[in-house]
Amino acid sequence: MGRLISAEFRKILTTRLWWALAIPAVLLAVGWAWGVSAFVTDIADDVADSDLLATTGIEVSDMSWSVLALTRAMNIATIFPMVFGALALASEINRKTITTTFLTASSRASVLGAKAITYTIWGLVYGVVVAGAASLGTVLGSNPDYLPEGGDWFLVLMSGIIACVLWTLLGMGVGALLGSPVGALVLLLVYASFVGPVGELILFGVTEGSHLTGWMPNGSANGLTGATASEVLFGQVQEIVGNNAVLAQADIEDFDIGVRFAAGAPGAYSLWVSGLIFLGWTMIFFVSGLLRNQRRDIT
Amino acid sequence: MHDGSGRIVVQNLTKNFGQVAAVQNLSFQVEPGSVTGFLGPNGAGKTTTLRMLLGLVTPTAGHATINGQLFHQLENPARVVGAVLEAQGFHPSRTARDHLRVYCAAMGMPDQRADEMLNLVGLGSAATRSAGGFSLGMKQRLALATALLGDPQVLVLDEPANGLDPEGIAWLRTFLKAFAASGRTVLISSHLLAEVEQTIDQVVIISHGQTMYYGQLDELRRSQQSRVIVQPADPNKLVAALQEAQITNVTPMPEGRVAVVGATVQQIGDVAARAGVALYGVQEEKADLEQLFFRLTSGQYAAPGTQLPPPGQGQPQQGYAQPVGQQGYPPNQAPPQQFQQQGQQSGYHQPPPGYQPGYQQQGTPPGGWGPPPGQPPTGTPPGGWGPPPQQQQQYQAPQQDQQHGGNA
């Protein structure tokens, strides 16, 4: 297995794909985090200046609004590790290097196992890089008052890194299942960037704010990052409200839904539940892709 | 673990792709120390058979083993069998050296093995070039280098001469003979008999996914009766004299010539002299193997339901070329041979000492291509190019009743 993992690393490092995807991932994460945090800062500044909150005694700067920028930026940048994973096996099938790969391994299962381990590591690498880029963008764009504390910051980044790893493996599973890079990329990109988010909005509206969207692959992935951010904000609100007791419980729940919406995860479950649901989706695609290749005739 | 014999056994191998029967009940055996040609027209099922042998395609029925084991039972298969299946399996932007190093890692070979193999196949100077920019011939050579990386005991090549220049073909021929002479096994497929005729000892000819002939190439050659074309002064008188001398297989030909089968030039000359018939020309004509091959494999595209002529009952039918076909190369004059002399000027490196054709006389391999570690030395192959230890029956009579069973 060690030999095959080493071979997989060489395959990745001797071609350009890994940095060709890492560069736009970094640029997108920095830019997105910068833009969102600047936007959030503008709104929060406006709200802080209004009389509305003054009467409740809530300080807007007690809230770390910029976690929204962190989470949104990482969420959008997961597309790149997903593409990277999707090409792991599909491009080998397409370029026919899979023949030699299977001929030089003791079994197909060992090849796919080695790929799973290798791409988990690469998913982590992408996750860390994207986390760093999103943090940089957030620092650049945000009012320092709205930056989260170290612990919360770390929690959001961790959830983003886990999302990157799982998206990589999910992409790999879909690629292995379809066996075609174009098919896998079109399917994944259309779903992750259009069908998923729009469909979840519609589903969220139609089912009147149910958690159904949190069960979808994209919804649960967004929940993984989005719910973390909204929990941070929600916790802060509860703390403030606990001291004030001005806002009713219903308002707090409305706030929770609103913040989840703003974090890009309407109807999502909490961090751990979302993470487990998304892990389940990843496993479904990954295992079925693996089984598909166990039987595939390489002609 | 595998038995280390280097023997390939294909037994009752069958593969159906949906309704299409690609391979039907194929059986043959490839012995170490020889080069076996696997011949058949395009679409006969050669590639499918080789891919089943290599575990890439799952057989519908039957099995194929290497060293007595199914491919997926081999612990580190690339150290036992190397394969050249297609010249396409390269990432276009990965360099030749990197390509080989990826698979060095996979099979646990040291990295310098990559450069050694590149030099061996004559790609040493192209090591840092991307495989995407390679010509077809260069890709074939890179595929061969990949197959040889694991220092395998068995080499399987699917149409390796495609895209190779005559010089490359000559080099490959020398290389494969030397490789087999060191006690290893070579199975090479081709759709052209002439392309591999001078390389192979044994031959498996298939058509319609069925075995048409299986045995020594020399046997096939010997089974060809020669005919003698005579230009006599008086054909009728000669024919009468020949028939009197019990030489009855005589066919008149245009321009007063006579074709005689089953008699030597001397016999005919004697008969003619006794009968007082002057002979203006006597020409012995060996039947063309290529023509025989063509007849063994013809009917590939026959309409479903057409019954094939029974292919060879113990002996192939006489392999005479049609009159037009007489331009076909006689076995000893195949054009690629002339290139063998020019090997020295080529960009190919001379095979290392272990690869020299003369090597089979020596008892111990002088390094490089000895038997893989852990395996008992195979010693000198008996008699150089002799037949494998046990003689197989020459024909695998195909079962006619199964042949069109699925097509109706």
Side-chain angles (χ1 to χ4, degrees):
Chain A
M1 190 58 97
R3 294 202 305 257
L4 293 180
I5 292 170
S6 151
E8 289 300 327
F9 266 90
R10 286 185 177 191
K11 280 179 198 167
I12 292 167
L13 291 171
T14 54
T15 49
R16 294 176 287 236
L17 185 69
W18 68 274
W19 55 259
L21 285 173
I23 289 172
V26 166
L27 294 179
L28 188 65
V30 171
W32 205 268
W34 196 335
V36 173
S37 58
F39 182 68
V40 167
T41 296
D42 268 0
I43 292 176
D45 284 347
D46 286 349
V47 173
D49 292 342
S50 72
D51 299 334
L52 187 76
L53 285 181
T55 56
T56 63
I58 294 174
E59 286 284 332
V60 169
S61 58
D62 284 347
M63 305 275 292
S64 35
W65 298 105
S66 290
V67 288
L68 292 175
L70 272 183
T71 190
R72 282 289 198 154
M74 292 198 68
N75 215 339
I76 194 93
T78 53
I79 279 184
F80 294 96
M82 176 192 79
V83 167
F84 187 66
L87 294 174
L89 199 73
S91 79
E92 278 223 57
I93 293 171
N94 185 43
R95 298 196 193 283
K96 303 195 170 188
T97 53
I98 195 70
T99 299
T100 312
T101 297
F102 281 163
L103 287 180
T104 52
S106 58
S107 68
R108 292 189 185 188
S110 66
V111 169
L112 297 167
K115 274 199 193 287
I117 293 169
T118 306
Y119 279 80
T120 301
I121 295 169
W122 276 93
L124 272 173
V125 170
Y126 272 100
V128 169
V129 168
V130 163
S135 302
L136 177 67
T138 305
V139 169
L140 290 173
S142 171
N143 178 336
D145 286 343
Y146 304 143
L147 287 177
E149 290 179 11
D152 292 339
W153 195 314
F154 181 74
L155 196 65
V156 173
L157 293 188
M158 276 310 293
S159 67
I161 291 170
I162 292 170
C164 280
V165 172
L166 292 180
W167 270 118
T168 308
L169 293 179
L170 187 133
M172 187 180 149
V174 172
L177 200 57
L178 297 186
S180 143
V182 175
L185 287 185
V186 167
L187 184 74
L188 284 166
L189 288 175
V190 167
Y191 175 73
S193 60
F194 182 72
V195 174
V198 173
E200 278 149 24
L201 272 184
I202 293 169
L203 196 63
F204 187 67
V206 169
T207 59
E208 292 169 359
S210 77
H211 271 313
L212 207 60
T213 53
W215 284 98
M216 300 292 114
N218 186 62
S220 57
N222 288 343
L224 186 54
T225 50
T228 313
S230 54
E231 263 166 42
V232 167
L233 291 176
F234 185 63
Q236 290 170 341
V237 164
Q238 275 191 318
E239 199 175 303
I240 294 165
V241 170
N243 300 336
N244 281 280
V246 177
L247 293 174
Q249 194 62 31
D251 295 331
I252 293 173
E253 274 168 19
D254 282 348
F255 174 83
D256 185 31
I257 292 171
V259 164
R260 275 172 199 272
F261 209 89
Y269 286 96
S270 66
L271 166 67
W272 297 113
V273 178
S274 291
L276 284 176
I277 293 171
F278 189 47
L279 179 69
W281 280 110
T282 301
M283 284 299 123
I284 287 173
F285 284 109
F286 186 76
V287 171
S288 54
L290 196 135
L291 290 176
R292 172 84 181 86
N293 279 280
Q294 202 64 23
R295 299 236 157 263
R296 190 191 293 269
D297 280 343
I298 309 294
T299 53
Chain B
M1 284 307 291
H2 57 86
D3 62 13
S5 63
R7 184 174 291 119
I8 296 173
V9 178
V10 170
Q11 210 155 24
N12 305 116
L13 210 53
T14 299
K15 178 69 183 182
N16 300 322
F17 289 112
Q19 288 289 306
V20 182
V23 175
Q24 298 173 62
N25 203 26
L26 204 61
S27 298
F28 63 89
Q29 197 163 328
V30 182
E31 296 296 330
S34 69
V35 181
T36 299
F38 188 43
L39 298 166
N42 291 330
K46 300 186 298 291
T47 300
T48 305
T49 304
L50 297 184
R51 285 182 174 266
M52 283 194 276
L53 172 67
L54 295 165
L56 295 167
V57 168
T58 315
T60 307
H63 63 265
T65 59
I66 299 168
N67 281 2
Q69 288 208 303
L70 299 175
F71 185 86
H72 67 78
Q73 293 171 321
L74 298 169
E75 193 65 31
N76 189 354
R79 300 299 307 274
V80 176
V81 53
V84 176
L85 287 181
E86 60 209 333
Q88 310 298 335
F90 311 109
H91 192 292
S93 67
R94 194 177 282 139
T95 66
R97 178 185 281 140
D98 283 339
H99 166 82
L100 292 177
R101 285 190 176 176
V102 164
Y103 296 109
C104 275
M107 60 182 84
M109 296 298 286
D111 280 357
Q112 69 259 29
R113 182 88 186 154
D115 285 329
E116 288 168 19
M117 290 305 105
L118 283 175
N119 288 330
L120 177 70
V121 300
L123 284 178
S125 58
T128 54
R129 280 176 54 191
S130 299
F134 279 12
S135 68
L136 185 56
M138 291 170 87
K139 285 179 177 170
Q140 284 286 14
R141 287 185 269 161
L142 183 55
L144 182 64
T146 314
L148 292 171
L149 265 189
D151 192 11
Q153 192 183 3
V154 179
L155 201 51
V156 174
L157 307 106
D158 193 12
E159 307 267 359
N162 275 358
L164 284 185
D165 48 15
E167 188 187 295
I169 291 175
W171 175 85
L172 183 68
R173 183 176 297 152
T174 315
F175 175 82
L176 292 179
K177 284 194 165 200
F179 188 87
S182 66
R184 293 163 192 245
T185 313
V186 179
L187 179 61
I188 175 173
S189 86
S190 179
H191 61 280
L192 291 173
L193 179 59
E195 191 176 77
V196 292
E197 201 183 323
Q198 291 164 56
T199 317
I200 62 179
D201 316 306
Q202 244 201 148
V203 65
V204 179
I205 297 176
I206 69 166
S207 179
H208 295 281
Q210 295 183 316
T211 317
M212 294 288 146
Y213 176 86
Y214 162 44
Q216 297 294 307
L217 187 61
D218 285 343
E219 292 288 328
L220 188 64
R221 215 175 257 137
R222 270 199 293 276
S223 72
Q224 303 302 298
Q225 284 176 290
S226 62
R227 68 173 179 179
V228 180
I229 311 255
V230 191
Q231 177 95 59
D234 182 347
N236 293 332
K237 201 171 169 187
L238 179 69
V239 170
L242 284 169
Q243 277 166 347
E244 214 164 284
Q246 307 297 319
I247 299 168
T248 51
N249 196 345
V250 181
T251 322
M253 289 180 73
E255 296 166 33
R257 289 179 301 159
V258 174
V260 185
V261 176
T264 64
V265 174
Q266 280 147 315
Q267 283 173 317
I268 296 165
D270 290 346
V271 169
R274 276 199 300 273
V277 180
L279 298 183
Y280 302 143
V282 182
Q283 185 190 2
E284 189 170 11
E285 208 179 57
K286 278 275 181 192
D288 186 355
L289 268 185
E290 195 73 47
Q291 286 294 327
L292 177 74
F293 170 62
F294 182 72
R295 200 171 41 248
L296 282 173
T297 59
S298 66
Q300 170 86 19
Y301 301 106
T306 310
Q307 200 65 8
L308 283 176
Q313 311 286 356
Q315 285 287 318
Q317 298 133 0
Q318 296 167 358
Y320 284 117
Q322 306 292 330
V324 232
Q326 286 175 8
Q327 307 128 315
Y329 305 120
N332 296 328
Q333 289 175 15
Q337 200 178 35
Q338 62 192 297
F339 291 101
Q340 274 180 330
Q341 264 73 45
Q342 299 173 0
Q344 311 291 348
Q345 313 158 355
S346 73
Y348 297 101
H349 288 223
Q350 284 299 101
Y355 282 121
Q356 292 300 333
Y359 161 62
Q360 71 255 40
Q361 265 91 37
Q362 298 165 12
T364 8
W369 290 100
Q375 276 155 27
T378 43
T380 316
W385 300 106
Q390 77 264 46
Q391 278 292 350
Q392 303 292 328
Q393 83 272 31
Q394 296 298 324
Y395 285 94
Q396 195 82 23
Q399 287 147 19
Q400 289 290 333
D401 52 337
Q402 288 189 1
Q403 189 157 332
H404 297 290
N407 292 347

